[in-house]
Amino acid sequence: MTALIALVRKDLILFLGDRRALLLNLVMPIVLGAFFGYLFGGSGVTENAKIQIAVVSQDDSATSQKIVAGLKADTALTVLEMPLAEAQDQVLKGKLNAAVVIPAGFGEAAGAALFGGKTKPEIAVYYDPSQSAVLAMVKGMLTQHVMQNVSAEMFSGAGGQKLMDDNIAALETEVANNPRSAELQDFLKSVRTFQGRNAAAKASGVDKADGGRAAGLSTPFVTTDKAMNAGPKYNGYAHAFAGMAVQFILFMGIDAGIGVLTAQRLGLWNRLLASPITIHTVLAARATSSALIALGLLLFIFTVAAMFFQVQVAGSILGFLGVAVCFALVTATFGLLIAAFGKTPEAARGMATFATLIMVMLGGAWVPSFMFPQWLQSLTKAVPTRWAVDGLDAMTWRGLPLDAAWAPMLAQLGFAALFGALALWKFGRTGGSSKA
């Protein structure tokens, strides 16, 4: 036991003495966690980013002017009016999310298509293909404003009255031969009567109580957005710090494994094994020191996150510590695995870094795993980082109880046991001798 404690103490002193590695493992996850957390919405107190679009109105009708005004008033949009060529250039360069082009004669053509079954006018929407999700949102908001203002013009505007008169007159010749034309004519006459009453009310000032605004068709419902989490308000920093902590602590595990390979190359490993210390004691000491360092780094990172970014362990404290300890064991055994199967420090570092980046990416450390396709979400359950990030999320911003930590803890313990068993098997075959 004395030898084990001495070896662990030696590893801790060496790690804390390497200022460059200490700075990398402490500062970089905090800096990147703060950056990604800000992108994911921060602590919820910042204003949501608006969709930036250009509007090119080639139609001077009152309907088109109202559509443009409605888009500008939409709180989810930042609208700039500019010529078509400039709008296309801005979208092409990625400076704007999309550009909406309202063609000449749109107001009249849209009104005719609403009741008369005429050809529907086209609104061109130019969008950045790297932000295809934005297209659906812009089209949805555009539909709302177009429908409301076109229908308002048809029911209450001067253009709508003229269109109704023209359509009613045009149907006179078709009524005798087509019963459906008579039905449409009766409907349009009813609309025309409604228009006349609106015009009379406006002239007499009766409608001043509601500001004199023409009412059009609008979305017949509103939504109430309710974020589902058992803890406090969602904090994007919590997920970002979890992801960056997992990534850089695994890098520390790589360094621990490379340290063993370097010691083997220099002959220090064989000298250590020549002393009255078993290979199992040496490996246990390396795993223990790596686990303690990993746990210390994780707790320090989340302490900074709590102090400066309002990240809270809103779930179970025991669950959080359990997930942290299990991930520390995964990191420790991952380092042993690298040391056991690595041939040289240089080759092992390259392959281990590549494997770590893949695990981090699939584990949802960079972007939340729910953004992956469903088949990939299922596949990532075979990656230890997915369970680590999910477990930390559950205990922080999701605010879930201890029960939600058991699955991530058991999964990580399973990976730690697998990595440790493979490392012991490999070291047992080679007797712990140098591979260099």
Side-chain angles (χ1 to χ4, degrees), residues 126-298:
Y126 299 92
Y127 70 100
D128 185 342
S130 68
Q131 303 183 43
S132 57
V134 172
L135 176 62
M137 291 186 284
V138 171
K139 289 174 70 175
M141 288 181 279
L142 179 63
T143 299
Q144 173 189 343
H145 291 291
V146 169
M147 191 65 189
Q148 183 170 352
N149 288 287
V150 169
S151 60
E153 179 66 19
M154 290 303 98
F155 283 116
S156 305
Q161 295 176 21
K162 181 179 181 301
L163 182 63
M164 290 300 108
D165 292 338
D166 292 343
N167 283 333
I168 291 170
L171 289 171
E172 290 289 350
T173 58
E174 302 179 21
V175 170
N177 300 322
N178 189 349
R180 297 186 62 184
S181 296
E183 295 172 358
L184 178 58
Q185 187 183 49
D186 290 340
F187 173 73
L188 295 181
K189 286 180 179 179
S190 298
V191 174
R192 187 66 183 87
T193 301
F194 177 77
Q195 291 174 333
R197 290 177 180 173
N198 277 348
K202 183 178 294 186
S204 63
V206 174
D207 64 343
K208 289 184 178 178
D210 64 352
R213 293 172 295 180
L217 300 178
S218 62
T219 307
F221 67 93
V222 295
T223 60
T224 300
D225 300 332
K226 298 181 179 180
M228 291 299 297
N229 57 288
K233 190 174 182 180
Y234 170 70
N235 188 333
Y237 289 114
H239 174 82
F241 273 97
M244 292 303 105
V246 165
Q247 174 174 316
F248 281 90
I249 290 173
L250 282 177
F251 284 161
M252 183 279 299
I254 293 176
D255 289 338
I258 298 301
V260 173
L261 293 175
T262 302
Q264 289 177 339
R265 171 179 284 182
L266 297 176
L268 300 176
W269 189 259
N270 290 335
R271 294 181 192 175
L272 188 63
L273 294 179
S275 64
I277 302 176
T278 66
I279 181 64
H280 293 94
T281 300
V282 175
L283 294 178
R286 173 64 64 165
T288 302
S289 59
S290 297
L292 290 174
I293 292 171
L295 181 60
L297 290 173
L298 187 64

Side-chain angles (χ1 to χ4, degrees), residues 56 118 150 179 182 223 259 320 351 379 401 413 427:
V56 182
K118 304 296 179 61
V150 169
T223 60
F320 176 83
M351 290 301 298
L379 182 64
L413 287 176
F427 274 114

Side-chain angles (χ1 to χ4, degrees), residues 295-314:
L295 181 60
L297 290 173
L298 187 64
L299 294 179
F300 176 83
I301 291 168
F302 271 93
T303 299
V304 174
M307 293 175 60
F308 297 102
F309 299 96
Q310 292 79 50
V311 174
Q312 301 179 39
V313 180

